[in-house]
């Protein structure tokens, strides 16, 4: 990589904590090199209380932009000059573009990446009834983007006793007040099994936005297998393991598609790359090089 660095090399970055495990530097630096872009992407471990310091530093250094991971996403959304529609509704951003004059715009590409992954598997959210389990960052991004992309109905289910339930209520209210063409947005208790069954039976798409199924909880599933049906696309934000118990049971039930979380990881990065550079990431090469088993 050093051979292509120059006095004009544009800096891009990832901030958050921890960041040592992130695949973003490899994805972006490979794509810069592949497309002949004079740029470099580095990861910086930044705690939430230091977000503003990192923000000022990157702007001072005339960086082209940066990605944001936990725990800095909400603070980054507060600091930017303007927010894209999805980031404003979510209240958090994972991508910040810095213009030549220093103006900053915050985006959230998580939902875009997730829905792009669904389309790869033959499922478009437009006109569909979507059930989303969980109300954390990833689940909220999916709910908002599904609403923006034309879902007919969205049901958000989260444990009423969980700290994210209030966020689910606020997200639903924001979507209802956004003037979108959506028939219904509801919020319910994930621990109410009769409600869970009822919601899934009438849904076209089921999204697990919780951590259930992620290592070391990979022997668990958020949904009893008997609730799944053949007309349902089942998708998971979890990507470790690549195939969760939920997805295995969806395949066994003959669901129309079973979609893992690795596609979301790829396509949210590809969308950030497009926002940074105006060019398309060589996503299939990146998938083959970094995301194959």
């Amino acid at each position: 990589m050093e051979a292509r660095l120059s006095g004009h090399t544009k800096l891009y970055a990832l901030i958050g904590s921890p960041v040592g495990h992130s695949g973003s530097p490899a994805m972006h630096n490979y794509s810069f090199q592949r497309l002949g872009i004079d740029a470099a992407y580095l990861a910086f471990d930044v705690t939430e209380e230091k977000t503003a310091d990192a923000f000022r530093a990157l702007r001072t250094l005339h960086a082209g932009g940066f990605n944001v991971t936990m725990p800095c996403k909400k603070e980054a959304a507060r600091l930017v000059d303007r927010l894209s529609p999805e980031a404003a509704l979510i209240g958090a951003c994972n991508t910040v573009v810095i213009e030549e004059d220093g103006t900053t715009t915050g985006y959230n590409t998580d939902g875009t990446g997730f829905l792009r992954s669904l389309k790869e598997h033959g499922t478009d959210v437009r006109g569909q009834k979507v059930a989303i389990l969980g109300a954390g960052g990833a689940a909220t991004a999916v709910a908002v983007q599904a609403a923006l992309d034309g879902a007919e109905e969205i049901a958000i289910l989260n444990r009423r006793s969980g700290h994210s339930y209030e966020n689910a209520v606020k997200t639903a209210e924001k979507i209802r007040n956004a003037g979108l063409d959506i028939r219904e947005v509801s919020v319910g208790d994930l621990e109410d099994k009769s409600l869970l069954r009822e919601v899934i039976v009438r849904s076209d798409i089921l999204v697990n936005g919780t951590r259930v199924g992620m290592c070391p909880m990979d022997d668990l599933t958020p949904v009893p297998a008997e609730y799944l049906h053949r007309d349902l696309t089942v998708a998971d934000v979890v990507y470790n393991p690549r195939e969760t118990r939920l997805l295995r049971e969806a395949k066994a039930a003959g669901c129309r598609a079973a979609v893992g979380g690795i596609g979301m990881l790829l396509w949210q990065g590809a969308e950030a790359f497009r926002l940074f550079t105006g060019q398309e990431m060589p996503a299939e090469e990146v998938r083959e090089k970094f995301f194959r088993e």
Side-chain angles (χ1 to χ4, degrees), residues 230-247:
R230 290 183 175 275
D231 296 325
L232 190 67
T233 289
V234 179
D236 213 323
V237 302
V238 173
Y239 59 86
N240 182 23
R242 297 292 177 90
E243 185 176 70
T244 60
R245 177 180 166 186
L246 174 62
L247 296 182

Side-chain angles (χ1 to χ4, degrees), residues 100-135:
E100 290 297 328
D101 64 359
T103 301
T104 54
T105 304
Y107 301 85
N108 194 305
T109 67
D110 285 336
T112 303
F114 190 85
L115 297 189
R116 174 70 180 269
S117 181
L118 283 186
K119 285 184 179 181
E120 277 195 307
H121 290 81
T123 299
D124 192 324
V125 76
R126 185 169 299 279
Q128 301 285 283
K129 298 179 179 66
V130 184
I132 300 173
L133 311 182

Side-chain angles (χ1 to χ4, degrees), residues 1 5 10 28 57 59 63 80 84 87 92 116 167 187 189 193 195 202-203 212 217 230 233 235 252 267 270 293:
M1 187 174 81
L5 300 181
K10 181 67 74 172
H28 285 272
R59 187 154 52 182
V80 294
S84 64
R116 174 70 180 269
N167 186 60
V187 177
D189 187 354
K193 296 304 182 185
L195 175 63
R202 66 192 306 270
S203 293
V212 176
M217 297 184 288
R230 290 183 175 275
T233 289
W267 290 112
E293 292 285 3

Side-chain angles (χ1 to χ4, degrees), residues 177-190:
N177 294 335
L180 303 174
D181 186 19
I182 185 168
R183 188 164 70 182
E184 183 180 353
V185 186
S186 62
V187 177
D189 187 354
L190 181 55

Side-chain angles (χ1 to χ4, degrees), residues 150-254:
E152 181 181 344
E153 295 180 12
I154 296 174
I156 304 171
L157 299 176
N158 194 83
R159 290 185 299 113
R160 189 178 290 273
S161 58
H163 68 278
S164 295
Y165 191 84
E166 184 179 346
N167 186 60
V169 173
K170 289 179 179 178
T171 298
E173 185 176 1
K174 286 180 182 179
I175 293 172
R176 293 189 199 104
N177 294 335
L180 303 174
D181 186 19
I182 185 168
R183 188 164 70 182
E184 183 180 353
V185 186
S186 62
V187 177
D189 187 354
L190 181 55
E191 295 180 316
D192 183 337
K193 296 304 182 185
S194 62
L195 175 63
L196 178 61
R197 179 192 285 271
E198 177 186 333
V199 167
I200 292 175
V201 164
R202 66 192 306 270
S203 293
D204 304 299
I205 302 170
L206 171 66
V207 178
N208 175 35
T210 75
R211 295 182 179 182
V212 176
M214 180 187 298
C215 292
M217 297 184 288
D218 47 326
D219 59 334
L220 302 178
T221 177
V223 175
E226 60 267 25
Y227 293 7
L228 306 176
H229 56 85
R230 290 183 175 275
D231 296 325
L232 190 67
T233 289
V234 179
D236 213 323
V237 302
V238 173
Y239 59 86
N240 182 23
R242 297 292 177 90
E243 185 176 70
T244 60
R245 177 180 166 186
L246 174 62
L247 296 182
R248 292 195 302 271
E249 291 180 349
K251 290 178 179 179

